[in-house]
Amino acid sequence: MPSRRDTFKMAGLGASALALGGAGRGGQHSGHHAHSESVPHKGRTYSPGKAGDDYRPVITPDGSTLSYKLVDGVKVFHLTAEEVEHEFSPGLKALCWGYNGQVHGPTIEAVEGDKVRVYVTNNLIAPTTIHWHGIILNSGMDGVGGLNQRAIMPGETFIYEWTFVQHGTFMYHSHHDEMTQMALGLMGMIVVHPRKRTEPAPDRDFVMMLGTWALRPGARRPDPNEMSDFNVLTINAKSYPGTAPLVVKMGERVRIRIGNLSAMDHHPIHLHGYAFEEIATDGGVIPKSARRPETTVLVPTGSTRTIEFVAHNPGDWAMHCHMTHHVMTQMGHDVPNMIGVDPQALNRRISPLLPHYMTMGQDGMGEMGKHIESGHMQVPENSLPMVGAQGPHDYITMGGMFTILKVRKGLTSYDDPGWYDDPDGMARLATQAELSRDGIDPSVKAMPHSSSGHMSHDKPKSNMKHEH
Amino acid sequence: MTLKHLWLGGAFLLVSCVSVPKDAGFSEFDAMLAPMLPAPAQWVGETISEQEASDRISALLSDPLTEASVAEITMLANRDLRAVLYGLKEARGNYVDDASLPNPFITALFVDEPSETSADCFGNLTRFDTPIGGQIGVGIEILDILFFPKTLKAAKAEFTAAKYSSLRHFADHSYQARLKFYEAMAAKQILGLAEQSYEAMAANAEVAQALFDAGNIAEVDLAQEKLFEAQMKSELIKAERGFEMAKSHLIKTMGLSPEKSDSVKLEGRLRTPDITELEALPVQSVMDRNLELKHREALIDAAGIRMGMKDVMSFVGDVELEGEVERHDGAYEYSGGIGFELPIFNFGQGKREAARARMEMMGQQYIARQYALDTNAHLLYTNLSAARREILHQRKQVLPLSQQVLKGMQLDYNAMHIGVFDLLNAKRNQLATGIAYVQAVEDYWKTRAAYEYLLAGGTPDIDASSHLNPSVGGASEEGDH
Ligand SMILES: [Cu+2]
C-alpha cells in the first residue's frame, strides 16, 4: 500500500519538491534529495573554501582537524591508518588503531563545493578501506570493501576523490572487518560547511564522536570480540576525567555536532542548564518547523546529531550520556549486588583469608573512586576507577561518556577556566533556623501528600541566594 | 640279651673353635645400620633397659615429631624390631650350635651273666658277649669330623645371612616409619589447607546469606552458594579422615603402645627440600651395599658348602668310627672298628640333583634380584630427579603464579571488575595449588627417603615411595623377607 508520501511523489509533490524555495527550510536547496545544499551543484564548480572567509573552523576537543594542501584547486588530504598507543584518561592507555597517530582520526573539514582527494595509506597489519559515512558521492568512492573497491592491503595507498555537494556533519570509518577495525578505533568526523550561510554561524562549533570499547582492567588492547559488555565509554576517544571541557563565553552561539559509531549502543546525550534545538542529522538540516526544544538528544549508532543553543546560563554544566552504565568506566557487570549488607561483619569474616579484602558496594559504587584515589586500595596497573574524579566540592561520581560545558562571563581565552564558583549560591547543609522556619523536622518521615492536599502554602518562598 | 653299642670317640674331645660375640654381633650390626639410622641402634633389654627406652620415647614424644625422632622412637618402641633382634639372637644360638663338633656317643654296659653269642648282619658292626664285666664304647660319625671345617664355614655363612636378614628388617622398619612420617605430615598440612578452603567457602556462603537477607539474591542463589560450602565440607571431612589414617599408620609403624600414642604431636610443615643437584647414581656402591643381595650371597655360600658336603656324604653315606674298652675276666680288651653305609641301592643321585637344582634356583633368583635392583635404582634416581624438578617448578612457577593470580584478582576486585564470590573462589584455587605443592613436597621426601635407603643398602618398594608413579614400579618384589 503506498504511503501518503508516495502519493505526494506520484503527484509531483514530494517533500523535496516542497523545498524548492530553499530558504526557511534549514538551508535545504535541492528539490530532488534530502541532503542539504546551500547552492546548486549541477554543472557548477566552486573555488576551495577558506577558513575565516567561508567558515569558522570547528573545534574537536581532545582531537584535531586534518590539514590539507591545495593542488590545482583540489583539497588534498592524507590519512594513514596505523596502530596508535592511545590514552583514554590518565592511567589508562591502550594499543588502538587510528589515523595519523591519533584516535580517533582527525576531523576532515571542508566547504560545500570543495573538490577533495583523500589518500589513504594502510600501515596496519590488516587490509582496510574507508567509508565516507553520509557523504553523497559516486558509488565507486563509497569505500565498502568488496562491494565498491578491493581492500587496501597493508603498505598500499589508495586515492578517493569527490566533490562535496552537501553540507552537514558526517563521519568516516573503516568498512572492512568493521567489527574489529571500528572496535579498535578506526573512525573520525567530517564537517562540511555550507557554501552559502542560511543560518547564523555558531561562535563555538564543537565536534564529538561517541564510542564504546571493551578493555579489561590491566589489559592493553581493546577487545573487538566483545559484543555487549563495553566498559570504556568515550567522547572523542576520551573517558571522563580525561575529557576536555567545552569552554564557551557567555552569550555565544554554541553548536555541538555529535556522531556515534559505537558497536552496539545508542547514546541519549543530556546537557544540563540548557534547552537546545536539534538542528541537523547526517542526513541533512532539519527544517526549522520540525525542530523542537530538547534537553537530551538521542544519537543512534551510525548517525550524527547537531544541536545548538545560545550560552546564556553561566556555570559548569554536565553533559553526558544518560545511560547510567555509560557514565561508568571499567566496571565488571557480573559483580554481585552488595547494597544493604553489613560490611563490618563480612570484613571480619573474610579478612583472615584475604587480608586486603574490603567489602565494597554496600552503599553503592560512589565511594569506590575515592578509595582508589586515596591510595589505600590498589587497582590493576593500567585501569581507571569505575567512576569519577575529584570535583570542586566533592568527588564526582561520574566517568565514561561525561564532559563539562563551562560557560563564563568575561573569558579572554578558551583555556580551561577552572571550576565555577557560583555567586548565586549552592546547595548546602540546612541550618537549624531554616529547618524550624520552614517547619521541617528531619526526624519525622516525609509522607506523600494526598490528592486533597493538606500542605500548607502559607509560608513565603525563601530565596537562599544571599545566604552564603 | 644285652646289646652293647660302643662308639669309639677316639681322641677327640672337641670344643667349638669359633668365637661368636656375646651380643650376637649386635655391635657389628649397629655399625652396619649406622648409615641408615639417625641414632645409634638400640636393643631394648640388651643395650638399653626397658625403663630407659620408655623414658626416652616419652622425652621424644614431648616435642613434635621429626624424621630423626620418628626413627629413634621406632627403634625403641617397635616390638617387631625387638623380635627381629631376638631372631638375630636365635641365629647366633644356631651358629654356636652348628659351630661345635657333634659330641661322641658313649655307651656303657654292665653284664653279670654270660650270654650267647649272636650275630646279625648290617647295622651293627660288632657284638661281643661277656660272661661278666662291663663295656664302654665311644662312637663318632667320622664325616662330621672330616667336614667340620666346612660345617663351620656354612654355619658362619648362615649366621651372616641371618644378620643381613635382620638388618634388612631393621632398616626397612626405619625407612617405613620415615615414609609414614612424611605421609602424616603432608596429610596434616593438607588438612590445614582444606580447613582454609572450607573457611573460604563458608565465608562465601555467609556473604550469600547477607545478600539474601538484604534482598539482593534469590533463595536458589543462596542455596547454590551453600551447596559449594557443603561440598567443601565433604572435602574437609575427607582430609580429616586422611590425616587420621596417616597418623594411625605412623603410630602403627613406630609401634607405639596405646598409652604413648596419645602424645604423638605432628606440627609445622614438611621440611623445605634443599634442592641441590643430584650426584650421579653410584650403581656399583648400590650393588655392593645392598643387604638383600648380601643376604642372598650368604645363603648361597652356605648352601654351596652344604651341597659340597652332601655330595660326598650322599656318596659315602654314614661312616662311623667306634672304639671299645672291655673288661673281661679282669682283663681289659681294646678293640676298634669302622662302619659305613654301602651305597648299592641309593647312590645319592637324587639328593645331589635336588641340591644342585636348589643352588641353581638361588643363583637365578640372585641374578633376578640384581637386575631388579639395578632397574629400581635407576628408576628411583629418575624419580628423585623428577620430584626435584617438580619441586623447583612448583616453587619457581606454580606458587608465584598462583600468588600473582590471587593478588591480581584482589586488584580486579578492588577495581570492581569481579565480585567477592570470584575473589573467594580465587582464594580457594590458590589453596588448591598449595595442596598440590604439599603433595609434591611429600612425594619428594618419600622418593628421597627411598633413594637414601637404597644408597644405604636397602631395597625400597618403589610403589610405596611415590604416589605419582603407580605404574612404573612392580619390578621390586620383596623376596622372601
Ligand atoms: Cu550512552
Side-chain angles (χ1 to χ4, degrees):
Chain A
M1 199 176 96
S3 70
R4 195 164 155 258
R5 174 178 286 260
D6 292 334
T7 317
F8 273 122
K9 266 187 184 161
M10 280 184 278
L13 290 167
S16 47
L18 288 171
L20 267 174
R25 296 291 321 268
Q28 193 150 318
H29 187 270
S30 166
H32 302 291
H33 33 67
H35 69 257
S36 300
E37 296 175 352
S38 63
V39 289
H41 290 282
K42 197 162 175 92
R44 304 281 298 270
T45 56
Y46 296 93
S47 59
K50 283 199 189 106
D53 296 352
D54 296 301
Y55 64 95
R56 182 169 295 148
V58 294
I59 303 133
T60 309
D62 299 306
S64 67
T65 302
L66 183 60
S67 59
Y68 62 87
K69 51 187 168 193
L70 273 178
V71 179
D72 300 332
V74 178
K75 285 185 177 175
V76 177
F77 297 90
H78 184 197
L79 286 172
T80 300
E82 61 197 355
E83 184 161 285
V84 177
E85 185 181 54
H86 172 69
E87 185 182 75
F88 290 104
S89 190
L92 184 64
K93 283 182 182 171
L95 289 171
C96 303
W97 288 0
Y99 296 103
N100 298 17
Q102 66 183 77
V103 177
H104 304 296
T107 302
I108 295 175
E109 192 172 21
V111 177
E112 185 186 351
D114 280 353
K115 189 169 168 48
V116 297
R117 265 202 293 276
V118 186
Y119 288 91
V120 177
T121 298
N122 181 2
N123 278 349
L124 299 167
I125 56 169
T128 193
T129 67
I130 298 186
H131 163 61
W132 316 98
H133 179 115
I135 305 296
I136 308 297
L137 35 58
N138 65 303
S139 168
M141 292 292 164
D142 199 41
V144 178
L147 179 65
N148 305 120
Q149 64 170 91
R150 76 162 173 88
I152 310 167
M153 299 309 285
E156 290 181 338
T157 299
F158 267 43
I159 180 169
Y160 294 87
E161 284 184 282
W162 70 87
T163 300
F164 284 112
V165 296
Q166 71 204 112
H167 60 91
T169 307
F170 314 99
M171 303 179 285
Y172 63 91
H173 61 82
S174 159
H175 219 303
H176 172 91
D177 186 14
E178 286 166 78
M179 185 194 94
T180 304
Q181 301 200 352
M182 291 175 73
L184 291 173
L186 284 176
M187 55 186 73
M189 297 287 288
I190 299 172
V191 172
V192 184
H193 297 279
R195 174 67 53 176
K196 197 176 100 194
R197 189 147 296 288
T198 55
E199 295 191 41
D203 302 299
R204 298 285 279 162
D205 195 346
F206 295 103
V207 175
M208 281 183 180
M209 168 71 85
L210 307 177
T212 58
W213 313 73
L215 183 58
R216 186 220 189 289
R220 294 197 310 121
R221 197 190 294 276
D223 180 4
N225 302 331
E226 180 55 58
M227 189 173 168
S228 56
D229 196 8
F230 300 96
N231 59 359
V232 178
L233 291 297
T234 55
I235 297 171
N236 289 334
K238 292 283 181 179
S239 188
Y240 187 77
T243 50
L246 311 183
V247 181
V248 168
K249 290 176 189 165
M250 269 284 273
E252 285 184 320
R253 174 170 288 274
V254 181
R255 179 177 289 178
I256 306 177
R257 306 163 186 261
I258 312 167
N260 179 11
L261 284 177
S262 300
M264 304 292 289
D265 288 292
H266 316 304
H267 304 288
I269 301 295
H270 175 56
L271 174 62
H272 293 218
Y274 286 90
F276 54 76
E277 270 192 345
E278 186 181 324
I279 63 161
T281 74
D282 40 347
V285 174
I286 298 169
K288 279 194 169 152
S289 59
R291 299 176 190 175
R292 58 180 184 182
E294 290 280 13
T295 62
T296 297
V297 55
L298 178 64
V299 190
T301 189
S303 64
T304 72
R305 295 290 182 267
T306 301
I307 63 169
E308 214 173 272
F309 58 93
V310 175
H312 55 74
N313 195 3
D316 283 344
W317 303 109
M319 183 179 185
H320 60 92
C321 177
H322 218 288
M323 290 195 178
T324 56
H325 277 244
H326 290 182
V327 283
M328 293 269 169
T329 300
Q330 287 196 311
M331 174 195 172
H333 292 120
D334 280 332
V335 297
N337 175 6
M338 303 297 285
I339 302 283
V341 303
D342 172 11
Q344 301 311 325
L346 294 188
N347 289 349
R348 272 195 305 275
R349 187 71 179 82
I350 295 174
S351 44
L353 290 158
L354 297 159
H356 302 292
Y357 171 82
M358 193 179 93
T359 299
M360 288 190 296
Q362 69 276 3
D363 50 7
M365 311 293 188
E367 297 301 295
M368 187 226 174
K370 243 194 248 185
H371 287 310
I372 291 163
E373 243 170 49
S374 69
H376 77 258
M377 212 165 67
Q378 244 190 312
V379 290
E381 194 78 14
N382 198 42
S383 68
L384 282 185
M386 198 180 67
V387 286
Q390 188 59 46
H393 306 294
D394 206 339
Y395 204 77
I396 299 171
T397 60
M398 309 283 272
M401 216 170 257
F402 181 93
T403 190
I404 301 169
L405 171 72
K406 297 191 170 190
V407 180
R408 300 285 190 278
K409 264 183 215 166
L411 282 184
T412 53
S413 96
Y414 289 115
D415 295 341
D416 186 346
W419 300 110
Y420 187 63
D421 186 12
D422 194 342
D424 296 330
M426 65 173 163
R428 55 165 174 78
L429 198 64
T431 64
Q432 200 49 55
E434 287 160 343
L435 291 170
S436 46
R437 178 193 65 203
D438 294 331
I440 300 295
D441 183 353
S443 64
V444 175
K445 212 171 169 183
M447 299 292 282
H449 61 82
S450 65
S451 53
S452 61
H454 59 266
M455 271 183 78
S456 159
H457 294 285
D458 54 23
K459 296 246 172 173
K461 230 180 170 183
S462 86
N463 188 343
M464 289 158 78
K465 162 185 231 180
H466 304 296
E467 293 193 6
H468 67 132
Chain B
M1 182 183 101
T2 309
L3 284 177
K4 288 161 285 177
H5 295 257
L6 292 174
W7 311 95
L8 181 65
F12 321 98
L13 263 182
L14 291 164
V15 289
S16 162
C17 48
V18 295
S19 67
V20 178
K22 267 242 159 82
D23 62 353
F26 186 76
S27 48
E28 186 196 359
F29 190 82
D30 184 18
M32 294 176 77
L33 272 174
M36 303 185 199
L37 295 177
Q42 296 286 7
W43 184 350
V44 181
E46 296 281 331
T47 63
I48 184 172
S49 76
E50 192 75 53
Q51 188 56 48
E52 282 170 329
S54 171
D55 291 349
R56 179 69 183 148
I57 292 171
S58 300
L60 289 170
L61 284 177
S62 67
D63 289 325
L65 291 178
T66 63
E67 287 132 309
S69 71
V70 163
E72 200 177 341
I73 290 168
T74 306
M75 195 162 53
L76 296 172
N78 193 294
R79 301 291 168 150
D80 281 330
L81 277 189
R82 285 193 212 175
V84 167
L85 291 171
Y86 283 109
L88 187 65
K89 208 169 186 178
E90 184 192 14
R92 175 191 176 258
N94 290 336
Y95 179 30
V96 169
D97 183 58
D98 275 1
S100 310
L101 265 179
N103 296 324
F105 193 80
I106 311 276
T107 52
L109 198 66
F110 300 96
V111 190
D112 55 9
E113 194 184 325
S115 62
E116 289 305 307
T117 302
S118 68
D120 55 23
C121 52
F122 308 129
N124 296 307
L125 297 173
T126 320
R127 224 163 309 190
F128 298 94
D129 64 298
T130 50
I132 191 161
Q135 301 165 356
I136 291 176
V138 178
I140 193 159
E141 297 217 14
I142 195 161
L143 287 184
D144 285 352
I145 295 161
L146 289 178
F147 282 119
F148 183 66
K150 281 206 177 268
T151 307
L152 210 57
K153 265 188 165 174
K156 192 175 181 188
E158 277 154 5
F159 179 53
T160 305
K163 261 195 306 192
Y164 286 130
S165 172
S166 302
L167 269 170
R168 283 185 63 201
H169 280 81
F170 212 92
D172 206 64
H173 255 95
S174 182
Y175 160 65
Q176 292 299 337
R178 193 176 168 191
L179 292 187
K180 299 300 171 206
F181 170 70
Y182 293 142
E183 284 170 7
M185 286 296 286
K188 169 92 193 207
Q189 275 180 260
I190 287 169
L191 174 59
L193 293 167
E195 276 162 356
Q196 283 192 62
S197 298
Y198 170 69
E199 275 303 301
M201 286 303 102
N204 198 69
E206 273 181 47
V207 173
Q209 185 67 56
L211 292 183
F212 179 74
D213 293 343
N216 302 358
I217 59 172
E219 200 164 5
V220 61
D221 304 327
L222 175 60
Q224 181 64 68
E225 302 304 327
K226 281 185 167 174
L227 176 61
F228 290 147
E229 180 192 3
Q231 284 164 338
M232 267 334 275
K233 183 84 180 182
S234 289
E235 294 300 310
L236 177 58
I237 290 168
K238 273 183 211 150
E240 281 166 351
R241 191 174 143 209
F243 172 60
E244 285 308 324
M245 273 171 67
K247 191 176 164 187
S248 296
H249 285 153
L250 175 60
I251 288 169
K252 194 168 74 183
T253 311
M254 288 195 297
L256 283 180
S257 62
E259 315 84 68
K260 292 244 194 284
S261 53
D262 287 342
S263 43
V264 162
K265 280 196 277 291
L266 286 161
E267 279 168 29
R269 304 162 160 218
L270 283 169
R271 238 171 350 121
T272 305
D274 52 320
I275 302 293
T276 43
E277 199 73 49
L278 262 185
E279 282 172 29
L281 172 69
V283 187
Q284 198 50 52
S285 149
V286 165
M287 291 292 163
D288 291 348
R289 302 183 84 132
N290 189 265
L291 293 173
E292 189 190 351
L293 291 184
K294 283 183 192 246
H295 175 213
R296 285 175 184 277
E297 272 165 29
L299 287 177
I300 290 171
D301 274 359
I305 296 162
R306 296 235 182 252
M307 187 184 76
M309 289 156 68
K310 268 185 199 137
D311 274 0
V312 179
M313 282 187 184
S314 58
F315 183 73
V316 176
D318 280 344
V319 180
E320 288 169 18
L321 274 185
E322 61 172 34
E324 186 196 70
V325 180
E326 187 182 346
R327 184 178 163 78
H328 188 57
D329 294 337
Y332 290 97
E333 285 176 19
Y334 302 91
S335 59
I338 187 165
F340 56 88
E341 190 182 320
L342 197 60
I344 49 173
F345 302 119
N346 182 352
F347 296 99
Q349 201 98 5
K351 263 192 182 168
R352 280 202 302 280
E353 272 175 22
R356 284 195 195 286
R358 170 139 189 88
M359 277 296 290
E360 199 56 46
M361 183 183 86
M362 289 170 84
Q364 295 300 335
Q365 282 173 339
Y366 181 84
I367 294 169
R369 289 294 170 276
Q370 233 182 357
Y371 288 177
L373 180 68
D374 184 84
T375 309
N376 281 354
H378 282 98
L379 183 53
L380 259 182
Y381 183 83
T382 313
N383 275 358
L384 185 56
S385 309
R388 176 183 166 275
R389 280 206 313 278
E390 173 69 13
I391 290 279
L392 276 178
H393 169 69
Q394 294 249 2
R395 242 193 251 166
K396 285 188 179 161
Q397 300 277 318
V398 181
L399 292 184
L401 282 172
S402 140
Q403 268 313 112
Q404 199 190 335
V405 166
L406 183 63
K407 191 173 171 240
M409 296 284 265
Q410 176 73 58
L411 298 186
D412 271 357
Y413 170 82
N414 292 350
M416 279 206 167
H417 185 66
I418 61 166
V420 59
F421 294 130
D422 292 332
L423 185 59
L424 284 167
N425 202 44
K427 175 67 189 175
R428 199 185 57 138
N429 286 340
Q430 188 227 13
L431 290 166
T433 316
I435 288 175
Y437 178 66
V438 170
Q439 283 168 340
V441 173
E442 177 194 0
D443 181 59
Y444 173 84
W445 279 119
K446 286 171 70 179
T447 311
R448 181 151 151 190
Y451 187 67
E452 285 174 1
Y453 181 44
L454 174 85
L455 293 190
T459 308
D461 175 4
I462 289 196
D463 292 348
S465 70
S466 172
H467 57 78
L468 292 181
N469 297 289
S471 59
V472 288
S476 160
E477 288 157 63
E478 274 309 88
D480 52 3
H481 74 92

